[in-house]
Amino acid sequence: MSGLLCAGDVYLDRLDANGNSTGLRKIGNATRFAINEPSERQQRTGRGRENYGQVLDDVAIKQPSTIALTLDEVDKTNLAFALLGDTSAINVTGASVTDESVVAHNGAWSSLDFRNIDDQTAVTATGEGGSPSYTEGTDFEIDHRLGLFRPIAEGSITDGDTVLVSYSYLDATGSKVSGGVQPQIRARVFLDGKNLADGSDILVNVDEARITPDSEVDFLSSEFVPLSMTGSMKLLDGKAAPYTVELPDAS
């Protein structure tokens, strides 16, 4: 016999809308993997002269099994879990834009249709009818990384003017998380654990959990951001339990 102090790797398999596997993925550093088995007690108590307040019957009614996860490693997959989102690829092929219409706002930026503006190629701008011509650095400025346009106060562009902007933008790749598009995340959860007290393995398999975030994701936190989630477990057809804990003998 020994105490329980575990290290472990957590794997998640996000299930599709039909409950099909999309593959187990190690989620990085997990700081919490907790299972709770709550019950609700129904009691019948005495009201007689001699037994008032005494328990006559006591029944525990099982409540849904729950799982709690906390992750402190953030990538597109983990962030999608924490934001109830879906992921997609960013794959932009660089090209040129001619005469994109932008409304100028004095002292404020206007967004162009594309980011990653090529700073090696001139950005040109004209009035709505093709004239007058405006000069970058004199009449307007560009935030090349963010794809933003702003008139310069001392230049020729006035507030509310429609400006036609021509520019080139670069290739861009990456990932995008579209948050808040799912009511919950369905996933198989698996822990490959090791009890540090005696070196034995401990394997926990949750066939299906319905996971939702239980804390905010603070993108401007002064500390590392934890991704905290909880969920209830579903008993699948043909299974005797919603999860199992295996304690293999040492080989």
XYZ file of all heavy atoms in Angstrom, residues 158-231:
550
model
N -8.961 64.888 -45.186
C -9.820 65.397 -44.124
C -10.727 64.293 -43.601
O -10.951 63.271 -44.262
C -10.676 66.576 -44.619
O -11.480 66.131 -45.719
C -9.800 67.727 -45.083
N -11.254 64.535 -42.422
C -12.097 63.540 -41.759
C -13.311 63.204 -42.627
O -14.002 64.088 -43.136
C -12.558 64.080 -40.405
C -13.270 63.026 -39.582
O -12.660 61.973 -39.315
O -14.455 63.239 -39.234
N -13.558 61.908 -42.806
C -14.692 61.451 -43.585
C -14.426 61.280 -45.061
O -15.303 60.790 -45.796
N -13.258 61.679 -45.532
C -12.923 61.488 -46.940
C -12.878 59.998 -47.284
O -12.424 59.169 -46.477
C -11.554 62.097 -47.267
C -11.609 63.598 -47.458
O -12.725 64.155 -47.450
O -10.527 64.210 -47.589
N -13.342 59.659 -48.473
C -13.153 58.310 -49.001
C -11.847 58.278 -49.786
O -11.636 59.099 -50.692
C -14.315 57.895 -49.909
O -15.523 57.858 -49.138
C -14.073 56.520 -50.518
N -10.965 57.365 -49.400
C -9.637 57.264 -50.002
C -9.511 55.903 -50.675
O -9.943 54.879 -50.132
C -8.537 57.439 -48.930
C -7.154 57.340 -49.555
C -8.704 58.771 -48.200
N -8.947 55.884 -51.863
C -8.681 54.635 -52.584
C -7.225 54.251 -52.373
O -6.323 54.982 -52.767
C -8.977 54.811 -54.079
C -10.394 55.290 -54.425
C -10.562 55.411 -55.927
C -11.441 54.353 -53.834
N -7.020 53.108 -51.731
C -5.679 52.687 -51.316
C -5.255 51.477 -52.144
O -6.018 50.513 -52.306
C -5.641 52.338 -49.817
C -4.223 51.992 -49.377
C -6.190 53.490 -48.990
N -4.044 51.510 -52.660
C -3.472 50.397 -53.420
C -2.202 49.925 -52.715
O -1.368 50.746 -52.309
C -3.149 50.827 -54.857
O -4.335 51.238 -55.536
N -2.050 48.613 -52.575
C -0.920 48.070 -51.823
C -0.713 46.607 -52.185
O -1.562 45.972 -52.847
C -1.164 48.206 -50.313
C -2.429 47.511 -49.830
C -2.388 46.207 -49.355
C -3.662 48.164 -49.856
C -3.535 45.572 -48.910
C -4.815 47.537 -49.414
C -4.751 46.241 -48.945
O -5.897 45.597 -48.520
N 0.390 46.039 -51.726
C 0.672 44.614 -51.847
C 0.754 44.014 -50.446
O 1.219 44.667 -49.506
C 1.990 44.375 -52.593
O 1.912 44.848 -53.929
N 0.299 42.788 -50.313
C 0.391 42.098 -49.026
C 1.103 40.764 -49.218
O 1.162 40.211 -50.329
C -0.984 41.908 -48.382
C -1.973 41.114 -49.212
C -2.092 39.742 -49.063
C -2.791 41.753 -50.146
C -2.994 39.016 -49.820
C -3.707 41.037 -50.899
C -3.802 39.661 -50.728
O -4.695 38.944 -51.493
N 1.661 40.255 -48.115
C 2.528 39.078 -48.157
C 1.760 37.809 -47.814
O 0.648 37.856 -47.272
C 3.684 39.263 -47.180
C 4.543 40.513 -47.379
C 5.536 40.654 -46.233
C 5.261 40.461 -48.729
N 2.401 36.672 -48.093
C 1.848 35.385 -47.670
C 1.715 35.364 -46.147
O 2.530 35.971 -45.427
C 2.761 34.232 -48.085
C 2.833 34.053 -49.595
O 2.029 34.674 -50.307
O 3.710 33.277 -50.044
N 0.708 34.643 -45.669
C 0.526 34.486 -44.218
C -0.054 33.111 -43.933
O -0.963 32.652 -44.638
C -0.389 35.572 -43.668
N 0.505 32.451 -42.936
C -0.010 31.155 -42.506
C -0.160 31.165 -40.990
O 0.426 31.992 -40.295
C 0.929 30.006 -42.925
O 2.239 30.245 -42.357
C 1.046 29.916 -44.432
N -0.943 30.239 -40.478
C -1.140 30.141 -39.042
C -2.426 29.405 -38.740
O -2.929 28.623 -39.560
N -2.960 29.662 -37.568
C -4.192 29.016 -37.125
C -5.146 30.052 -36.573
O -4.720 31.071 -36.015
C -3.893 27.962 -36.051
O -3.016 26.968 -36.547
N -6.428 29.782 -36.712
C -7.457 30.665 -36.196
C -8.430 29.863 -35.347
O -8.872 28.786 -35.738
C -8.199 31.356 -37.337
C -9.334 32.270 -36.890
C -9.884 33.102 -38.047
C -10.583 32.271 -39.072
N -11.201 33.077 -40.143
N -8.751 30.397 -34.165
C -9.770 29.803 -33.302
C -11.010 30.678 -33.380
O -10.958 31.870 -33.070
C -9.285 29.701 -31.843
C -10.411 29.194 -30.941
C -8.069 28.777 -31.744
N -12.111 30.088 -33.816
C -13.395 30.790 -33.827
C -14.114 30.424 -32.539
O -14.614 29.301 -32.382
C -14.224 30.386 -35.052
O -13.559 30.723 -36.247
N -14.130 31.347 -31.581
C -14.627 31.053 -30.249
C -16.136 31.153 -30.127
O -16.804 31.852 -30.895
N -16.663 30.439 -29.130
C -18.075 30.542 -28.794
C -19.023 29.954 -29.812
O -20.182 30.363 -29.884
N -18.566 28.982 -30.583
C -19.428 28.409 -31.617
C -19.991 27.046 -31.215
O -20.812 26.480 -31.942
C -18.678 28.283 -32.962
C -18.256 29.658 -33.454
C -17.457 27.371 -32.840
N -19.571 26.516 -30.071
C -20.060 25.226 -29.595
C -20.654 25.389 -28.190
O -20.119 26.148 -27.376
C -18.926 24.198 -29.541
C -18.232 23.945 -30.859
C -19.112 23.215 -31.846
O -20.095 22.581 -31.477
N -18.764 23.300 -33.128
N -21.744 24.692 -27.876
C -22.284 24.762 -26.514
C -21.427 24.009 -25.510
O -21.419 24.320 -24.314
C -23.672 24.131 -26.650
C -23.554 23.207 -27.818
C -22.586 23.856 -28.765
N -20.713 23.000 -25.986
C -19.824 22.198 -25.155
C -18.883 21.434 -26.074
O -19.097 21.371 -27.289
C -20.629 21.214 -24.287
C -21.456 20.243 -25.104
C -22.375 19.379 -24.267
O -22.387 19.464 -23.041
N -23.154 18.533 -24.918
N -17.829 20.879 -25.481
C -16.885 20.069 -26.232
C -17.037 18.621 -25.782
O -17.008 18.323 -24.587
C -15.434 20.537 -26.004
C -15.268 22.004 -26.426
C -14.461 19.643 -26.753
C -15.478 22.272 -27.889
N -17.209 17.733 -26.745
C -17.283 16.305 -26.447
C -15.904 15.699 -26.669
O -15.296 15.905 -27.717
C -18.310 15.622 -27.341
C -19.714 16.143 -27.183
C -20.629 15.583 -28.265
N -20.720 14.137 -28.216
C -21.380 13.405 -29.131
N -21.951 14.000 -30.166
N -21.433 12.094 -29.012
N -15.429 14.956 -25.678
C -14.069 14.428 -25.807
C -13.894 13.161 -24.985
O -14.493 13.004 -23.909
C -13.046 15.468 -25.356
N -13.074 12.280 -25.507
C -12.516 11.207 -24.696
C -11.301 11.777 -23.993
O -10.539 12.555 -24.589
C -12.106 10.028 -25.570
C -11.436 8.907 -24.779
C -10.810 7.874 -25.685
N -9.968 6.954 -24.916
C -8.998 6.198 -25.442
N -8.756 6.258 -26.753
N -8.269 5.398 -24.673
N -11.122 11.413 -22.729
C -9.998 11.924 -21.939
C -9.230 10.734 -21.367
O -9.837 9.798 -20.826
C -10.473 12.843 -20.798
C -9.280 13.541 -20.154
C -11.478 13.873 -21.295
N -7.914 10.784 -21.488
C -7.089 9.663 -21.036
C -5.886 10.183 -20.264
O -5.215 11.122 -20.706
C -6.612 8.851 -22.245
C -5.696 7.709 -21.898
C -6.176 6.585 -21.258
C -4.343 7.758 -22.213
C -5.322 5.529 -20.935
C -3.489 6.722 -21.903
C -3.981 5.597 -21.262
N -5.647 9.609 -19.103
C -4.480 9.952 -18.283
C -3.517 8.782 -18.239
O -3.882 7.672 -17.811
C -4.908 10.317 -16.856
C -3.766 10.500 -15.839
C -2.933 11.737 -16.182
C -4.293 10.582 -14.418
N -2.300 9.019 -18.682
C -1.212 8.058 -18.536
C -0.402 8.509 -17.332
O 0.485 9.362 -17.440
C -0.356 8.041 -19.806
C 0.871 7.150 -19.672
O 0.877 6.279 -18.781
O 1.824 7.350 -20.450
N -0.742 7.954 -16.159
C -0.171 8.444 -14.910
C 0.845 7.504 -14.288
O 0.912 6.314 -14.604
N 1.630 8.090 -13.403
C 2.611 7.323 -12.643
C 2.548 7.778 -11.202
O 2.664 8.973 -10.909
C 4.020 7.549 -13.196
C 5.127 6.833 -12.415
C 6.488 7.129 -13.025
C 7.597 6.415 -12.258
N 8.935 6.694 -12.835
N 2.323 6.826 -10.285
C 2.282 7.137 -8.864
C 3.715 7.266 -8.344
O 4.458 6.284 -8.290
C 1.528 6.044 -8.104
C 1.309 6.403 -6.645
O 1.752 7.460 -6.175
N 0.618 5.539 -5.913
N 4.093 8.480 -7.996
C 5.464 8.720 -7.566
C 5.770 8.083 -6.215
O 6.940 7.923 -5.850
C 5.722 10.228 -7.494
C 5.549 10.989 -8.813
C 5.792 12.476 -8.596
C 6.469 10.437 -9.889
N 4.719 7.712 -5.485
C 4.951 7.115 -4.169
C 5.565 5.721 -4.278
O 6.365 5.326 -3.422
C 3.633 7.051 -3.392
N 5.175 4.990 -5.328
C 5.724 3.630 -5.463
C 6.161 3.290 -6.889
O 6.595 2.171 -7.156
C 4.706 2.592 -4.973
C 3.403 2.621 -5.761
O 3.329 3.352 -6.771
O 2.452 1.921 -5.367
N 6.049 4.249 -7.811
C 6.492 4.022 -9.178
C 5.521 3.255 -10.046
O 5.859 2.931 -11.196
N 4.350 2.949 -9.544
C 3.401 2.153 -10.323
C 2.642 3.011 -11.327
O 2.501 4.222 -11.162
C 2.403 1.461 -9.387
O 1.631 2.425 -8.685
N 2.157 2.356 -12.379
C 1.346 3.039 -13.382
C -0.095 3.162 -12.899
O -0.597 2.308 -12.160
C 1.363 2.271 -14.709
C 2.698 2.366 -15.428
O 3.444 3.332 -15.156
O 3.004 1.480 -16.237
N -0.759 4.216 -13.368
C -2.193 4.384 -13.133
C -2.771 4.999 -14.399
O -2.334 6.058 -14.852
C -2.469 5.249 -11.887
C -3.970 5.427 -11.669
C -1.771 6.593 -11.944
C -4.316 5.963 -10.281
N -3.715 4.303 -15.001
C -4.300 4.684 -16.284
C -5.779 4.981 -16.088
O -6.528 4.121 -15.617
C -4.119 3.563 -17.314
C -2.698 3.013 -17.493
C -2.703 1.838 -18.457
C -1.759 4.101 -17.968
N -6.180 6.186 -16.441
C -7.581 6.598 -16.288
C -8.145 6.893 -17.675
O -7.574 7.694 -18.423
C -7.712 7.847 -15.392
C -9.185 8.190 -15.190
C -7.016 7.632 -14.053
N -9.251 6.239 -18.009
C -9.878 6.443 -19.306
C -11.325 6.881 -19.118
O -12.123 6.182 -18.495
C -9.839 5.166 -20.140
C -10.420 5.374 -21.526
O -9.806 6.015 -22.368
N -11.613 4.839 -21.768
N -11.654 8.057 -19.636
C -13.018 8.573 -19.640
C -13.533 8.465 -21.070
O -12.999 9.121 -21.977
C -13.064 10.039 -19.162
C -14.488 10.572 -19.207
C -12.473 10.161 -17.757
N -14.538 7.629 -21.275
C -15.011 7.364 -22.636
C -15.546 8.620 -23.317
O -15.243 8.882 -24.479
C -16.103 6.296 -22.627
C -15.554 4.927 -22.256
O -14.476 4.569 -22.773
O -16.194 4.227 -21.455
N -16.347 9.407 -22.611
C -16.855 10.647 -23.185
C -17.212 11.622 -22.075
O -17.991 11.290 -21.175
C -18.080 10.424 -24.068
C -18.575 11.705 -24.719
C -19.703 11.495 -25.710
O -19.762 10.411 -26.340
O -20.530 12.416 -25.861
N -16.633 12.799 -22.151
C -16.958 13.886 -21.235
C -17.527 15.042 -22.032
O -17.101 15.305 -23.158
C -15.717 14.328 -20.457
N -18.507 15.724 -21.456
C -19.075 16.927 -22.067
C -18.463 18.109 -21.310
O -18.827 18.392 -20.163
C -20.597 16.919 -21.944
C -21.254 15.637 -22.498
C -21.092 15.524 -23.998
N -21.678 14.313 -24.548
C -22.917 14.236 -25.054
N -23.706 15.296 -25.054
N -23.356 13.105 -25.560
N -17.516 18.785 -21.948
C -16.636 19.743 -21.270
C -17.040 21.168 -21.589
O -17.338 21.507 -22.740
C -15.175 19.502 -21.692
C -14.712 18.105 -21.242
C -14.249 20.567 -21.114
C -13.362 17.706 -21.802
N -17.034 22.018 -20.562
C -17.219 23.458 -20.738
C -16.186 24.183 -19.878
O -15.734 23.662 -18.852
C -18.629 23.918 -20.317
O -18.865 23.530 -18.954
C -19.693 23.298 -21.210
N -15.781 25.391 -20.270
C -14.842 26.161 -19.442
C -15.524 26.623 -18.167
O -16.735 26.885 -18.143
C -14.472 27.349 -20.338
C -15.595 27.474 -21.294
C -16.135 26.101 -21.516
N -14.760 26.720 -17.082
C -15.331 27.234 -15.832
C -14.550 28.442 -15.316
O -14.706 28.839 -14.164
C -15.401 26.144 -14.766
C -14.046 25.608 -14.343
O -13.019 26.060 -14.902
O -14.004 24.748 -13.456
N -13.735 29.044 -16.186
C -13.056 30.281 -15.817
C -12.776 31.062 -17.092
O -12.815 30.518 -18.199
C -11.750 30.013 -15.055
O -10.810 29.368 -15.900
N -12.477 32.333 -16.923
C -12.184 33.185 -18.061
C -10.779 32.918 -18.593
O -9.939 32.344 -17.901
C -12.295 34.656 -17.652
C -11.267 35.071 -16.602
C -11.473 36.488 -16.105
O -12.520 37.066 -16.392
O -10.570 37.006 -15.423
N -10.554 33.324 -19.828
C -9.210 33.314 -20.411
C -8.763 34.767 -20.496
O -9.247 35.532 -21.322
C -9.203 32.661 -21.805
C -7.796 32.714 -22.399
C -9.689 31.217 -21.726
N -7.865 35.146 -19.587
C -7.418 36.543 -19.492
C -6.170 36.722 -20.344
O -5.059 36.376 -19.937
C -7.141 36.891 -18.031
C -6.755 38.356 -17.851
O -6.652 39.071 -18.861
O -6.558 38.777 -16.691
N -6.357 37.286 -21.539
C -5.238 37.438 -22.461
C -4.236 38.490 -21.997
O -3.130 38.558 -22.539
C -5.758 37.798 -23.853
C -6.467 36.665 -24.543
C -7.842 36.564 -24.498
C -5.756 35.697 -25.230
C -8.507 35.525 -25.135
C -6.404 34.653 -25.869
C -7.792 34.572 -25.819
N -4.592 39.306 -21.021
C -3.665 40.324 -20.512
C -3.266 40.056 -19.056
O -2.871 40.960 -18.337
C -4.291 41.720 -20.642
C -4.487 42.227 -22.079
C -5.122 43.621 -22.066
C -3.167 42.262 -22.835
N -3.359 38.805 -18.644
C -2.951 38.454 -17.292
C -1.462 38.713 -17.097
O -0.657 38.554 -18.027
C -3.260 36.975 -17.026
O -2.725 36.563 -15.783
N -1.086 39.117 -15.888
C 0.329 39.321 -15.568
C 1.011 38.008 -15.182
O 2.205 37.985 -14.907
C 0.469 40.332 -14.424
O -0.196 39.866 -13.251
N 0.246 36.918 -15.148
C 0.777 35.600 -14.838
C 0.419 34.636 -15.961
O -0.423 34.941 -16.816
C 0.214 35.096 -13.501
C 0.518 36.010 -12.324
C -0.152 35.529 -11.048
O -1.029 34.634 -11.143
O 0.187 36.034 -9.971
N 1.058 33.462 -15.952
C 0.700 32.458 -16.945
C -0.782 32.104 -16.810
O -1.294 31.936 -15.699
C 1.553 31.197 -16.773
C 2.983 31.385 -17.200
C 4.007 31.367 -16.263
C 3.302 31.583 -18.534
C 5.325 31.534 -16.649
C 4.625 31.746 -18.940
C 5.638 31.727 -17.996
N -1.457 32.002 -17.943
C -2.905 31.822 -17.941
C -3.260 30.342 -17.854
O -2.846 29.546 -18.711
C -3.519 32.429 -19.217
C -5.014 32.154 -19.285
C -3.258 33.933 -19.266
N -4.040 29.931 -16.838
C -4.530 28.548 -16.807
C -5.804 28.430 -17.634
O -6.607 29.362 -17.712
C -4.818 28.328 -15.318
C -5.210 29.683 -14.814
C -4.409 30.685 -15.633
N -5.966 27.283 -18.272
C -7.196 26.968 -18.978
C -7.932 25.922 -18.142
O -7.511 24.772 -18.059
C -6.891 26.433 -20.378
C -6.021 27.320 -21.271
C -5.774 26.643 -22.609
C -6.642 28.693 -21.465
N -9.019 26.350 -17.515
C -9.715 25.491 -16.569
C -11.062 25.070 -17.140
O -11.839 25.904 -17.616
C -9.918 26.243 -15.242
O -10.583 25.435 -14.297
N -11.320 23.758 -17.092
C -12.535 23.215 -17.671
C -13.115 22.124 -16.780
O -12.382 21.442 -16.059
C -12.242 22.625 -19.054
C -11.811 23.638 -20.096
S -11.038 22.868 -21.532
C -9.365 22.654 -20.934
N -14.425 21.976 -16.824
C -15.101 20.898 -16.114
C -16.105 20.248 -17.049
O -16.515 20.840 -18.054
C -15.837 21.408 -14.865
O -16.767 22.435 -15.246
C -14.862 21.968 -13.844
N -16.511 19.038 -16.705
C -17.492 18.356 -17.540
C -18.116 17.179 -16.814
O -17.597 16.694 -15.807
